[in-house]
Amino acid sequence: MFERFTTSAREVVRGAVRHAEDTGADTVGEAELLLALLDRTDGSGAGGSRTEDGGSHTEASGGRKDRAHIRGDRKGSPAAEILTALGAHGRRASIERALAEVRRRGGITGADVEALAGLGIDVDEIVARVEEAHGVGALATAGSTPGSTPESASARAPRRGRRPLRRPFSREAKSVLERSLRIALARGDKHIGDEHLLLALTARPGVAAHVLADHDVTYIQVERALSARATKG
């Protein structure tokens, strides 16, 4: 499947891994994929992809497959353009706070909080009591991310003399990647771009979809923005 990924889509995947590593999360989840997509709105999605040493992707690799990925990215990052057009870029700080709150509550989204409140359950009060007894962030055990399946510390710890292992993708994040392939095929696209990852994140209920919906970004809006972008192109 990954041979279908454009350079932008691969950058999102790599960026998600970096976010997990920076926060010490056990796995790469939906939250990290969303943050990596938002990274594209900071300017990295405006033009061609760059390698870590500053050279262009085509300069770094002359393979036929790599050139095919560059062709898929010749108009920049569709996801970055859409997220910016829908106002998500300007609301990044709010989105990050929302994701942090979900993590602090052990994966319970804002929608879940409202639903439980209707049953007389005050999630924030419960979280406060747990943190009072066990410390701030007690429910976000072992750096786990929303929607992830935590692994044991021994499984994560690198053996002496070896490089640290890359964070694995959570079950939910893997589902997003697989869904992006199905969405691309359904749309008749021969590649998987960052726009397909964005569609996959918003297509079904999940941490990223709930947080984005709270910030007025939904699957229908993303799909409409993509159609408008294609018409202009």
Side-chain angles (χ1 to χ4, degrees):
M1 180 177 72
F2 287 101
E3 67 273 8
R4 293 175 178 262
F5 275 44
T6 64
T7 304
S8 291
R10 294 185 180 206
E11 281 299 317
V12 170
V13 172
R14 284 194 286 265
V17 172
R18 287 194 293 271
H19 276 291
E21 292 173 344
D22 289 344
T23 59
D26 290 337
T27 58
V28 181
E30 288 187 12
E32 285 74 28
L33 286 171
L34 174 53
L35 289 172
L37 280 166
L38 287 170
D39 287 343
R40 306 293 292 165
T41 68
D42 292 332
S44 59
S49 173
R50 309 293 292 179
T51 60
E52 292 182 0
D53 62 0
S56 69
H57 192 85
T58 48
E59 290 170 351
S61 175
R64 190 172 302 172
K65 289 184 179 180
D66 291 321
R67 286 196 294 271
H69 294 313
I70 291 296
R71 285 198 297 273
D73 285 356
R74 66 186 181 279
K75 294 184 179 180
S77 168
E81 293 179 22
I82 291 166
L83 286 170
T84 300
L86 295 178
H89 173 66
R91 301 175 184 176
R92 172 162 186 155
S94 177
I95 292 173
E96 288 184 340
R97 285 195 298 271
L99 291 173
E101 277 300 304
V102 172
R103 182 172 181 271
R104 176 172 169 256
R105 292 191 296 256
I108 299 176
T109 66
D112 294 332
V113 170
E114 292 181 7
L116 290 170
L119 299 174
I121 301 173
D122 189 333
V123 173
D124 290 332
E125 181 181 350
I126 294 173
V127 172
R129 289 182 179 180
V130 171
E131 291 186 336
E132 184 178 352
H134 303 284
V136 176
L139 290 175
T141 56
S144 60
T145 57
S148 69
T149 304
E151 298 180 356
S152 66
S154 60
R156 296 193 316 273
R159 294 181 181 179
R160 183 174 298 178
R162 292 189 179 183
R163 296 177 61 186
L165 296 175
R166 286 278 189 177
R167 262 61 171 180
F169 279 72
S170 69
R171 180 178 63 255
E172 289 76 14
K174 289 179 181 178
S175 178
V176 169
L177 298 181
E178 293 167 359
R179 197 179 309 144
S180 69
L181 171 61
R182 293 196 295 271
I183 288 174
L185 292 175
R187 293 173 63 88
D189 297 329
K190 296 181 180 179
H191 65 277
I192 301 174
D194 59 3
E195 71 272 28
H196 301 111
L197 293 176
L198 178 57
L199 282 168
L201 273 178
T202 57
R204 292 184 183 178
V207 170
H210 282 303
V211 170
L212 283 173
D214 286 341
H215 291 80
D216 301 321
V217 179
T218 64
Y219 177 85
I220 292 176
Q221 289 174 316
V222 172
E223 195 172 45
R224 286 175 179 170
L226 269 175
S227 297
R229 183 178 184 273
T231 301
K232 291 179 181 178

